Amino acid sequence: MKPMTLTAWLWRAVLAAGVAGCAYTPPAPFVVVGNGKSVSINWENSTLGPDGAFNAAEKHCARYGLGAELSAQVSRFEVIYRCV
């Protein structure tokens, strides 16, 4: 059996690194439902948690030139923000 050349070894290393990179899964998106007055954020399937939910609400309310303010905790993974 012939020993691997340096080029073949490097290609295998690059391929292995590329396949290992596929194991990363980004956090699931939030479920965002709202309008210019309020927004409901559900983060049950997201790894970003309540802090990420607030950021998503801020982003939603910013479309209307407003900021987000916590209104109600609907369930363990869902909150409602007012756009103020």
Coordinates of all heavy atoms in Angstrom, one line a residue:
M1 N 0.8 -1.2 0.0 CA 0.0 0.0 0.0 C 0.9 1.2 0.0 O 1.8 1.3 0.8 CB -0.9 0.0 1.2 CG -1.9 1.0 1.2 SD -3.0 0.6 2.6 CE -4.3 1.6 2.3
K2 N 0.6 2.2 -0.9 CA 1.4 3.4 -1.0 C 1.1 4.4 0.2 O -0.1 4.5 0.5 CB 1.2 4.1 -2.3 CG 1.7 3.4 -3.5 CD 1.8 4.3 -4.7 CE 0.6 4.5 -5.5 NZ 0.8 5.3 -6.7
P3 N 2.1 5.1 0.7 CA 1.8 6.1 1.7 C 1.0 7.3 1.0 O 1.2 7.5 -0.1 CB 3.1 6.5 2.2 CG 4.1 6.0 1.2 CD 3.5 4.9 0.4
M4 N 0.2 7.9 1.8 CA -0.5 9.1 1.3 C 0.4 10.2 1.0 O 1.3 10.5 1.8 CB -1.6 9.6 2.3 CG -2.9 9.1 2.0 SD -4.2 10.0 2.9 CE -3.7 10.1 4.6
T5 N 0.2 10.9 -0.1 CA 1.0 12.1 -0.4 C 0.5 13.3 0.5 O -0.6 13.2 1.1 CB 0.8 12.5 -1.8 OG1 -0.5 12.9 -2.1 CG2 1.2 11.4 -2.8
L6 N 1.3 14.3 0.6 CA 0.9 15.4 1.4 C -0.4 16.1 0.9 O -1.3 16.4 1.7 CB 2.0 16.4 1.5 CG 1.8 17.7 2.3 CD1 1.5 17.4 3.7 CD2 3.0 18.7 2.2
T7 N -0.5 16.2 -0.4 CA -1.7 16.8 -1.0 C -3.0 16.0 -0.6 O -4.0 16.6 -0.3 CB -1.5 16.9 -2.5 OG1 -0.3 17.6 -2.8 CG2 -2.7 17.6 -3.1
A8 N -2.9 14.7 -0.8 CA -4.0 13.8 -0.4 C -4.4 14.0 1.0 O -5.6 14.0 1.4 CB -3.7 12.4 -0.8
W9 N -3.4 14.0 1.9 CA -3.6 14.2 3.3 C -4.3 15.5 3.6 O -5.3 15.5 4.4 CB -2.3 14.0 4.1 CG -2.5 14.0 5.6 CD1 -2.8 12.9 6.3 CD2 -2.5 15.2 6.4 NE1 -2.9 13.3 7.6 CE2 -2.8 14.7 7.7 CE3 -2.3 16.5 6.3 CZ2 -2.8 15.5 8.8 CZ3 -2.3 17.3 7.4 CH2 -2.6 16.9 8.6
L10 N -3.9 16.6 3.0 CA -4.5 17.9 3.2 C -5.9 17.9 2.7 O -6.8 18.5 3.4 CB -3.7 19.0 2.5 CG -2.3 19.3 3.1 CD1 -1.5 20.3 2.3 CD2 -2.5 19.9 4.5
W11 N -6.2 17.3 1.6 CA -7.6 17.3 1.1 C -8.5 16.5 2.1 O -9.6 16.9 2.3 CB -7.6 16.7 -0.3 CG -7.4 17.7 -1.4 CD1 -6.3 17.7 -2.2 CD2 -8.2 18.8 -1.7 NE1 -6.4 18.8 -3.0 CE2 -7.5 19.5 -2.7 CE3 -9.4 19.3 -1.2 CZ2 -8.1 20.7 -3.3 CZ3 -9.9 20.5 -1.8 CH2 -9.2 21.1 -2.8
R12 N -8.0 15.4 2.6 CA -8.8 14.7 3.6 C -9.0 15.5 4.8 O -10.1 15.5 5.4 CB -8.1 13.4 3.9 CG -8.3 12.4 2.8 CD -7.8 11.0 3.2 NE -7.9 10.1 2.1 CZ -7.7 8.8 2.2 NH1 -7.3 8.3 3.3 NH2 -7.9 8.0 1.1
A13 N -8.0 16.2 5.3 CA -8.2 17.1 6.5 C -9.2 18.2 6.2 O -10.1 18.5 7.1 CB -6.8 17.7 6.9
V14 N -9.2 18.8 5.0 CA -10.1 19.9 4.7 C -11.5 19.3 4.6 O -12.5 19.9 5.1 CB -9.7 20.5 3.3 CG1 -10.8 21.4 2.8 CG2 -8.5 21.3 3.5
L15 N -11.7 18.1 4.0 CA -13.0 17.5 3.9 C -13.5 17.1 5.3 O -14.7 17.4 5.6 CB -12.9 16.2 3.0 CG -14.2 15.5 2.8 CD1 -15.2 16.3 2.0 CD2 -13.9 14.2 2.0
A16 N -12.7 16.6 6.1 CA -13.1 16.2 7.5 C -13.6 17.5 8.3 O -14.6 17.5 9.0 CB -12.0 15.5 8.2
A17 N -12.8 18.6 8.1 CA -13.2 19.8 8.8 C -14.5 20.4 8.2 O -15.3 20.9 9.0 CB -12.1 20.9 8.6
G18 N -14.7 20.2 7.0 CA -16.0 20.7 6.3 C -17.2 19.9 6.8 O -18.2 20.5 7.1
V19 N -17.0 18.6 6.9 CA -18.1 17.8 7.4 C -18.4 18.1 8.9 O -19.6 18.1 9.3 CB -17.8 16.3 7.2 CG1 -18.8 15.4 7.8 CG2 -17.8 16.0 5.7
A20 N -17.4 18.3 9.7 CA -17.6 18.6 11.1 C -18.3 19.9 11.2 O -19.1 20.1 12.2 CB -16.2 18.6 11.8
G21 N -18.1 20.8 10.3 CA -18.8 22.1 10.4 C -20.3 22.0 10.2 O -21.0 22.9 10.6
C22 N -20.7 21.0 9.5 CA -22.1 20.8 9.3 C -22.9 20.4 10.5 O -24.1 20.4 10.5 CB -22.4 19.7 8.2 SG -21.7 20.2 6.6
A23 N -22.2 20.1 11.6 CA -22.9 19.6 12.8 C -23.5 20.8 13.5 O -24.4 20.6 14.4 CB -21.9 18.9 13.7
Y24 N -23.2 22.0 13.2 CA -23.7 23.2 13.9 C -25.1 23.5 13.4 O -25.4 23.5 12.2 CB -22.9 24.5 13.6 CG -23.5 25.7 14.1 CD1 -23.5 26.1 15.4 CD2 -24.1 26.6 13.2 CE1 -24.1 27.2 15.9 CE2 -24.7 27.8 13.6 CZ -24.7 28.1 15.0 OH -25.3 29.2 15.4
T25 N -26.1 23.7 14.3 CA -27.4 24.0 14.0 C -27.7 25.4 14.7 O -27.6 25.4 15.9 CB -28.4 23.0 14.4 OG1 -28.2 22.7 15.8 CG2 -28.3 21.7 13.6
P26 N -28.1 26.4 13.9 CA -28.4 27.7 14.5 C -29.6 27.6 15.4 O -30.4 26.7 15.1 CB -28.5 28.6 13.3 CG -28.9 27.7 12.2 CD -28.2 26.4 12.5
P27 N -29.8 28.5 16.3 CA -31.0 28.5 17.1 C -32.3 28.6 16.2 O -32.2 29.3 15.2 CB -30.9 29.6 18.0 CG -29.6 30.4 17.7 CD -28.9 29.6 16.6
A28 N -33.3 27.9 16.6 CA -34.6 28.0 15.8 C -35.1 29.5 16.0 O -34.9 30.1 17.0 CB -35.6 27.0 16.4
P29 N -35.8 29.9 15.0 CA -36.4 31.3 15.0 C -37.5 31.3 16.0 O -38.1 30.3 16.4 CB -36.8 31.5 13.6 CG -37.1 30.2 13.1 CD -36.1 29.3 13.7
F30 N -37.8 32.6 16.4 CA -39.0 32.8 17.3 C -40.2 32.8 16.4 O -40.2 33.1 15.3 CB -38.9 34.2 18.0 CG -37.7 34.3 18.9 CD1 -36.6 34.9 18.5 CD2 -37.8 33.8 20.1 CE1 -35.5 35.0 19.3 CE2 -36.7 33.9 21.0 CZ -35.5 34.5 20.6
V31 N -41.4 32.5 17.1 CA -42.6 32.7 16.4 C -43.1 34.1 16.8 O -43.3 34.4 18.0 CB -43.7 31.7 16.8 CG1 -45.0 31.9 16.2 CG2 -43.2 30.3 16.5
V32 N -43.1 35.0 15.9 CA -43.5 36.4 16.1 C -44.8 36.8 15.4 O -44.9 36.6 14.2 CB -42.3 37.4 15.6 CG1 -42.7 38.8 15.8 CG2 -41.0 37.0 16.2
V33 N -45.8 37.2 16.2 CA -47.0 37.6 15.6 C -47.4 38.9 16.2 O -47.4 39.1 17.5 CB -48.1 36.6 16.0 CG1 -49.5 37.0 15.4 CG2 -47.8 35.2 15.5
G34 N -47.6 39.9 15.4 CA -48.0 41.2 15.9 C -48.3 42.2 14.9 O -48.3 42.0 13.7
N35 N -48.5 43.5 15.4 CA -48.8 44.6 14.5 C -48.1 45.8 15.1 O -47.1 45.7 15.9 CB -50.3 44.8 14.4 CG -51.0 44.9 15.8 OD1 -50.4 45.4 16.7 ND2 -52.2 44.5 15.8
G36 N -48.5 47.0 14.8 CA -47.9 48.2 15.3 C -48.2 48.5 16.8 O -47.5 49.4 17.4
K37 N -49.1 47.8 17.4 CA -49.5 48.0 18.8 C -48.9 47.0 19.8 O -48.5 47.4 20.9 CB -51.0 48.1 19.0 CG -51.6 49.2 18.2 CD -53.1 49.2 18.5 CE -53.7 50.4 17.7 NZ -55.1 50.6 17.9
S38 N -48.8 45.8 19.4 CA -48.3 44.7 20.3 C -47.7 43.6 19.4 O -47.9 43.5 18.2 CB -49.3 44.2 21.2 OG -50.3 43.5 20.5
V39 N -46.9 42.8 20.1 CA -46.3 41.6 19.5 C -46.2 40.5 20.5 O -45.9 40.6 21.6 CB -44.9 42.0 18.9 CG1 -44.0 42.4 20.0 CG2 -44.3 40.8 18.1
S40 N -46.6 39.3 20.0 CA -46.5 38.1 20.8 C -45.3 37.3 20.3 O -45.1 37.0 19.1 CB -47.7 37.2 20.6 OG -47.6 36.0 21.2
I41 N -44.4 36.9 21.3 CA -43.2 36.2 21.0 C -43.2 34.8 21.7 O -43.4 34.7 22.9 CB -41.9 36.9 21.4 CG1 -41.9 38.4 21.0 CG2 -40.7 36.2 21.0 CD1 -41.6 38.6 19.5
N42 N -43.1 33.7 20.9 CA -43.0 32.4 21.4 C -41.6 31.8 21.2 O -41.2 31.8 20.0 CB -44.1 31.5 20.8 CG -44.1 30.1 21.4 OD1 -43.1 29.5 21.5 ND2 -45.3 29.7 21.7
W43 N -40.9 31.5 22.2 CA -39.5 31.0 22.1 C -39.4 29.5 22.5 O -38.3 29.0 22.8 CB -38.5 31.9 22.8 CG -38.6 31.8 24.3 CD1 -37.9 30.9 25.1 CD2 -39.3 32.5 25.2 NE1 -38.1 31.1 26.4 CE2 -39.0 32.1 26.5 CE3 -40.2 33.6 25.0 CZ2 -39.6 32.7 27.6 CZ3 -40.8 34.2 26.2 CH2 -40.5 33.7 27.4
E44 N -40.4 28.7 22.5 CA -40.4 27.3 22.9 C -39.4 26.5 22.2 O -38.7 25.7 22.8 CB -41.8 26.7 22.8 CG -41.8 25.3 23.3 CD -43.2 24.8 23.4 OE1 -44.2 25.4 23.0 OE2 -43.4 23.6 23.9
N45 N -39.2 26.7 20.9 CA -38.2 25.9 20.1 C -36.9 26.7 19.8 O -36.2 26.3 18.9 CB -38.9 25.5 18.8 CG -40.1 24.6 19.0 OD1 -40.0 23.7 19.9 ND2 -41.1 24.8 18.3
S46 N -36.7 27.7 20.6 CA -35.5 28.5 20.4 C -34.5 28.4 21.6 O -35.0 28.2 22.7 CB -35.8 30.0 20.2 OG -34.6 30.7 20.0
T47 N -33.2 28.4 21.3 CA -32.3 28.3 22.4 C -31.9 29.7 22.9 O -31.1 29.9 23.8 CB -31.0 27.6 21.9 OG1 -30.4 28.4 20.8 CG2 -31.3 26.2 21.5
L48 N -32.5 30.8 22.4 CA -32.2 32.1 22.7 C -32.9 32.6 24.0 O -32.4 33.6 24.6 CB -32.4 33.1 21.6 CG -31.6 32.8 20.3 CD1 -31.9 33.7 19.2 CD2 -30.1 32.9 20.6
G49 N -34.0 32.0 24.4 CA -34.7 32.3 25.6 C -35.3 33.7 25.7 O -35.5 34.4 24.7
P50 N -35.7 34.1 26.9 CA -36.4 35.4 27.1 C -35.6 36.6 26.6 O -36.2 37.6 26.2 CB -36.8 35.4 28.5 CG -35.9 34.4 29.2 CD -35.5 33.4 28.2
D51 N -34.3 36.6 26.8 CA -33.5 37.8 26.4 C -33.6 37.9 24.9 O -33.7 39.0 24.3 CB -32.1 37.6 26.8 CG -31.9 37.7 28.3 OD1 -32.8 38.4 29.0 OD2 -31.0 37.2 28.9
G52 N -33.5 36.8 24.2 CA -33.6 36.8 22.7 C -35.0 37.2 22.3 O -35.2 37.9 21.3
A53 N -36.1 36.8 23.1 CA -37.4 37.2 22.8 C -37.6 38.7 22.9 O -38.3 39.3 22.0 CB -38.4 36.5 23.7
F54 N -37.0 39.3 23.9 CA -37.1 40.8 24.0 C -36.4 41.4 22.8 O -36.9 42.4 22.2 CB -36.4 41.2 25.3 CG -36.4 42.7 25.4 CD1 -37.5 43.5 25.7 CD2 -35.2 43.4 25.2 CE1 -37.5 44.8 25.8 CE2 -35.1 44.8 25.3 CZ -36.3 45.5 25.6
N55 N -35.2 40.9 22.4 CA -34.6 41.5 21.2 C -35.4 41.4 19.9 O -35.5 42.3 19.1 CB -33.2 40.8 21.0 CG -32.2 41.2 22.1 OD1 -32.4 42.2 22.7 ND2 -31.3 40.3 22.3
A56 N -36.1 40.2 19.8 CA -37.0 40.0 18.7 C -38.2 41.0 18.7 O -38.6 41.6 17.7 CB -37.5 38.6 18.6
A57 N -38.7 41.3 19.9 CA -39.8 42.3 20.1 C -39.3 43.7 19.8 O -40.0 44.4 19.1 CB -40.3 42.2 21.5
E58 N -38.1 44.0 20.2 CA -37.5 45.3 19.9 C -37.4 45.5 18.4 O -37.7 46.5 17.8 CB -36.2 45.5 20.6 CG -36.2 45.8 22.0 CD -36.5 47.2 22.3 OE1 -36.0 48.1 21.6 OE2 -37.3 47.5 23.2
K59 N -36.9 44.4 17.7 CA -36.8 44.5 16.3 C -38.1 44.7 15.6 O -38.2 45.5 14.6 CB -36.1 43.2 15.8 CG -35.8 43.2 14.3 CD -35.0 41.9 13.9 CE -34.7 41.9 12.5 NZ -34.0 40.7 12.1
H60 N -39.1 44.0 16.1 CA -40.5 44.1 15.5 C -41.0 45.5 15.7 O -41.5 46.1 14.7 CB -41.4 43.1 16.1 CG -42.8 43.3 15.7 ND1 -43.3 42.8 14.5 CD2 -43.9 43.9 16.3 CE1 -44.6 43.1 14.4 NE2 -45.0 43.8 15.5
C61 N -41.0 46.0 16.9 CA -41.5 47.3 17.2 C -40.7 48.4 16.5 O -41.3 49.5 16.2 CB -41.5 47.5 18.7 SG -42.7 46.5 19.6
A62 N -39.5 48.2 16.2 CA -38.6 49.2 15.6 C -39.1 49.5 14.2 O -38.9 50.6 13.6 CB -37.2 48.8 15.5
R63 N -39.8 48.5 13.6 CA -40.4 48.7 12.2 C -41.4 49.9 12.2 O -41.7 50.5 11.2 CB -41.1 47.5 11.7 CG -40.2 46.4 11.3 CD -41.0 45.3 10.6 NE -40.8 44.1 11.3 CZ -41.6 43.0 11.1 NH1 -42.6 43.0 10.3 NH2 -41.3 41.9 11.7
Y64 N -42.0 50.1 13.4 CA -43.0 51.2 13.5 C -42.4 52.4 14.3 O -43.2 53.3 14.7 CB -44.2 50.6 14.3 CG -44.8 49.4 13.6 CD1 -44.5 48.1 14.1 CD2 -45.7 49.5 12.6 CE1 -45.0 47.0 13.5 CE2 -46.2 48.4 11.9 CZ -45.9 47.1 12.4 OH -46.4 46.0 11.8
G65 N -41.1 52.4 14.5 CA -40.5 53.5 15.1 C -40.7 53.5 16.6 O -40.7 54.6 17.3
L66 N -41.0 52.4 17.2 CA -41.3 52.2 18.6 C -40.4 51.3 19.3 O -39.6 50.6 18.7 CB -42.7 51.8 18.8 CG -43.8 52.6 18.1 CD1 -45.2 51.9 18.1 CD2 -43.9 54.0 18.8
G67 N -40.4 51.2 20.6 CA -39.7 50.3 21.4 C -40.6 49.3 22.0 O -41.8 49.4 22.0
A68 N -40.1 48.2 22.6 CA -40.9 47.1 23.2 C -40.9 47.3 24.7 O -39.9 47.6 25.3 CB -40.3 45.8 22.8
E69 N -42.1 47.0 25.3 CA -42.3 47.0 26.7 C -43.1 45.8 27.1 O -44.1 45.5 26.5 CB -43.1 48.3 27.1 CG -43.4 48.4 28.6 CD -44.2 49.6 28.9 OE1 -45.5 49.6 28.8 OE2 -43.6 50.6 29.2
L70 N -42.6 45.0 28.1 CA -43.3 43.8 28.5 C -44.7 44.1 28.9 O -45.0 45.0 29.7 CB -42.6 43.1 29.6 CG -43.1 41.8 30.1 CD1 -43.1 40.7 29.0 CD2 -42.3 41.3 31.3
S71 N -45.7 43.3 28.4 CA -47.1 43.5 28.7 C -47.6 42.3 29.5 O -48.2 42.6 30.6 CB -47.9 43.6 27.4 OG -49.3 43.7 27.7
A72 N -47.4 41.1 29.1 CA -47.9 39.9 29.8 C -47.1 38.7 29.5 O -46.5 38.5 28.4 CB -49.3 39.7 29.5
Q73 N -47.0 37.8 30.5 CA -46.4 36.5 30.3 C -47.5 35.5 30.1 O -48.3 35.2 31.0 CB -45.6 36.1 31.6 CG -44.9 34.7 31.5 CD -43.6 34.8 30.9 OE1 -42.9 35.8 31.0 NE2 -43.2 33.7 30.3
V74 N -47.7 35.1 28.9 CA -48.9 34.2 28.5 C -48.7 32.8 29.0 O -49.6 32.2 29.5 CB -49.1 34.3 27.0 CG1 -50.2 33.3 26.6 CG2 -49.3 35.7 26.5
S75 N -47.5 32.3 28.8 CA -47.1 30.9 29.2 C -45.6 30.9 29.5 O -44.9 31.9 29.4 CB -47.5 29.9 28.1 OG -46.7 30.1 27.0
R76 N -45.1 29.7 29.8 CA -43.7 29.6 30.1 C -42.8 30.1 29.0 O -41.7 30.6 29.2 CB -43.4 28.1 30.4 CG -42.0 27.9 30.8 CD -41.8 26.4 31.3 NE -40.4 26.2 31.5 CZ -39.9 25.0 31.6 NH1 -40.7 24.0 31.5 NH2 -38.6 24.9 31.9
F77 N -43.2 29.9 27.7 CA -42.4 30.2 26.6 C -43.0 31.3 25.7 O -42.6 31.5 24.6 CB -42.1 29.0 25.7 CG -41.3 27.9 26.5 CD1 -41.9 26.8 26.8 CD2 -40.0 28.1 26.8 CE1 -41.2 25.8 27.5 CE2 -39.3 27.2 27.4 CZ -39.9 26.0 27.8
E78 N -44.0 32.0 26.2 CA -44.6 33.1 25.4 C -44.9 34.3 26.2 O -45.4 34.3 27.3 CB -45.9 32.5 24.8 CG -46.5 33.5 23.8 CD -47.7 32.9 23.1 OE1 -48.1 31.7 23.3 OE2 -48.3 33.6 22.2
V79 N -44.5 35.4 25.6 CA -44.8 36.8 26.2 C -45.4 37.7 25.2 O -45.2 37.5 24.0 CB -43.5 37.4 26.8 CG1 -43.0 36.6 28.0 CG2 -42.4 37.4 25.7
I80 N -46.0 38.7 25.7 CA -46.6 39.8 24.8 C -45.9 41.1 25.2 O -45.8 41.4 26.4 CB -48.1 39.9 25.0 CG1 -48.8 38.6 24.5 CG2 -48.6 41.1 24.2 CD1 -50.3 38.5 24.7
Y81 N -45.5 41.8 24.2 CA -44.9 43.1 24.4 C -45.8 44.2 23.7 O -46.4 43.9 22.7 CB -43.5 43.2 23.8 CG -42.5 42.3 24.5 CD1 -42.2 41.0 24.1 CD2 -41.7 42.9 25.5 CE1 -41.3 40.3 24.7 CE2 -40.8 42.1 26.1 CZ -40.5 40.8 25.7 OH -39.6 40.1 26.4
R82 N -45.9 45.3 24.4 CA -46.5 46.5 23.8 C -45.4 47.3 23.0 O -44.3 47.4 23.5 CB -47.1 47.4 24.8 CG -48.4 46.9 25.4 CD -49.0 48.0 26.3 NE -48.1 48.4 27.4 CZ -48.1 47.9 28.6 NH1 -48.9 46.9 28.9 NH2 -47.3 48.3 29.5
C83 N -45.8 47.8 21.9 CA -44.9 48.7 21.1 C -45.2 50.1 21.6 O -46.4 50.6 21.4 CB -45.1 48.5 19.6 SG -44.7 46.9 19.0
V84 N -44.3 50.7 22.3 CA -44.5 52.1 22.8 C -43.5 53.1 22.3 O -42.4 52.7 21.9 CB -44.5 52.1 24.4 CG1 -45.6 51.3 24.9 CG2 -43.2 51.5 24.9

